[in-house]
Amino acid sequence: MATTVTLPGYTDVCEAYERIRTVVRRTPVISSSSVSQRAGRRCLFKCENFQRTGAFKFRGASNAVAALCEDECARGVATHSSGNHGAALALAAQSRNVKATIVMPENAVASKRRAVEAYGGVVRLCEATMQARISTLESVVHKDGAVSIPPYDHPAVIAGQGTAALELLEDIEPPELILTPVGGGGLLSGTALVARELAPQAAIIGVEPAGADDTRRSFLKGKRVTDVVPDTIADGLRATVGELTFPLIRENVDDIVVVDEDAIIDAMLFVWERMKIVIEPSAAVPVAALFGSDLRGRGTAAVIISGGNIDVSTVSDSFSKRT
């Protein structure tokens, strides 16, 4: 018999924050006159690149691990991840002395694999397809009895990711726009739950690469599109929008927009040069959308910078493409 999963709500995000507030960092909200001038509106940035493990993913992983009972801890945890969720889960598990097995695609960024291992995670490589990631994870769970904590399609993970928006909207006046990148949809759906409660007049926008636009296609079609083969520098956004995250996105998000690869690289390097902070390609995706003409306006735009984990080779390639 199939198990019915209850979708999280705003109250779950608030409970998650109380559960993890002593573990996660309350990341700063910063502004940039250079970015605001180019975007044609005031822009504020919630800097999850300064979060532990360098990405917002630590919030959801910490909430999920904190909710485990002792029997589940003894069995260990497992997930599939291109890197950020894997590192986050490994560190969250380490804090409770829990074994963490991370299934990673063979094309995962090398620095992200090293980070997983540095936090004590056991890496299992698989082919670079979503089906391979899922099937390899299923084999680990079956063999070891580990508790599966997926990177986004999990109520506790979604609620944990929403705590970034909770902090953001406690620190600023309600903006006109709230933007996040979208891959599997955990950050966007969690953000939307909070924004609908605390900033109901704000337009909530998800942004994804044109080369991984399954959420945009799903949003327009009204049901999940799962046959998109991702091709983008934004490795954190190559996942397919989830079964749990999509209905939350469909109900609470105003629009999904896409940006091309040149725009992503340009936005990432612009932030490095003008804001003097390191962001990864996935985090540059909503910034790229702000630089396009479609989102220009007078009100404030608030962006959740999702992470700052980047590979040196990616940096070199990005600069080469710009010159």
Side-chain angles (χ1 to χ4, degrees), residues 226-306:
T226 60
D227 59 354
V228 174
V229 179
D231 181 17
T232 176
I233 189 175
D235 60 289
L237 305 183
R238 294 172 185 161
T240 302
V241 67
E243 294 181 6
L244 300 185
T245 59
F246 179 63
L248 292 171
I249 290 170
R250 188 181 181 191
E251 179 179 356
N252 297 299
V253 172
D254 292 286
D255 199 8
I256 306 293
V257 301
V258 299
V259 292
D260 64 29
E261 295 297 289
D262 288 342
I264 296 169
I265 294 168
D266 177 69
M268 179 175 68
L269 297 181
F270 191 88
V271 169
W272 292 356
E273 293 173 351
R274 302 301 180 89
M275 294 181 68
K276 312 304 180 187
I277 62 172
V278 175
I279 67 172
E280 61 188 79
S282 299
V285 168
V287 182
L290 283 176
F291 291 163
S293 60
D294 292 345
L295 295 182
R296 291 191 175 272
R298 295 182 179 179
T300 298
V303 179
I304 297 182
I305 296 292
S306 55

Side-chain angles (χ1 to χ4, degrees), residues 2-263:
T3 301
T4 301
V5 178
T6 301
L7 296 177
Y10 173 70
T11 300
D12 297 295
V13 179
C14 295
E15 291 175 353
Y17 184 67
E18 291 303 318
R19 190 178 294 121
I20 67 176
R21 62 186 302 180
T22 61
V23 179
V24 301
R25 290 176 183 153
R26 189 178 182 102
T27 53
V29 179
I30 66 174
S31 62
S32 165
S33 57
S34 295
V35 173
S36 296
Q37 182 176 9
R38 182 172 174 183
R41 63 161 75 233
R42 181 173 182 245
C43 299
L44 298 175
F45 300 92
K46 174 69 170 170
C47 292
E48 287 295 289
N49 51 324
F50 298 146
Q51 186 56 258
R52 296 183 69 185
T53 73
F56 76 95
K57 294 282 190 176
F58 186 66
R59 294 176 180 271
S62 294
N63 192 42
V65 170
L68 296 176
C69 67
E70 292 303 317
D71 177 66
E72 290 170 322
C73 287
R75 290 156 51 195
V77 295
T79 194
H80 67 80
S81 169
S82 59
N84 283 346
H85 175 66
L89 185 61
L91 181 58
Q94 186 183 74
S95 68
R96 293 194 65 182
N97 295 315
V98 173
K99 178 184 177 181
T101 302
I102 315 299
V103 175
M104 302 187 71
E106 56 193 5
N107 65 344
V109 174
S111 60
K112 293 187 177 183
R113 177 181 172 181
R114 291 194 295 269
V116 170
E117 294 171 333
Y119 292 129
V122 177
V123 174
R124 284 278 304 274
L125 294 177
C126 68
E127 293 181 7
T129 67
M130 183 55 61
Q131 183 55 49
R133 287 165 64 154
I134 292 172
S135 61
T136 305
L137 175 60
E138 288 175 346
S139 70
V140 170
V141 171
H142 177 74
K143 179 181 177 182
D144 300 342
V147 177
S148 177
I149 300 180
Y152 46 87
D153 235 10
H154 188 290
V157 171
I158 295 169
Q161 315 305 28
T163 63
L166 192 66
E167 291 179 358
L168 171 67
L169 293 175
E170 287 178 348
D171 289 344
I172 68 172
E173 294 296 319
E176 182 181 67
L177 294 178
I178 300 174
L179 295 90
T180 84
V182 53
L187 179 61
L188 178 58
S189 57
T191 296
L193 290 174
V194 174
R196 282 292 172 242
E197 184 73 22
L198 300 183
Q201 301 306 313
I204 305 166
I205 308 294
V207 192
E208 65 184 347
D213 64 344
D214 61 286
T215 308
R216 171 68 173 171
R217 297 189 196 187
S218 301
F219 195 76
L220 294 175
K221 195 171 184 178
K223 64 178 183 179
R224 290 175 69 231
V225 173
T226 60
D227 59 354
V228 174
V229 179
D231 181 17
T232 176
I233 189 175
D235 60 289
L237 305 183
R238 294 172 185 161
T240 302
V241 67
E243 294 181 6
L244 300 185
T245 59
F246 179 63
L248 292 171
I249 290 170
R250 188 181 181 191
E251 179 179 356
N252 297 299
V253 172
D254 292 286
D255 199 8
I256 306 293
V257 301
V258 299
V259 292
D260 64 29
E261 295 297 289
D262 288 342

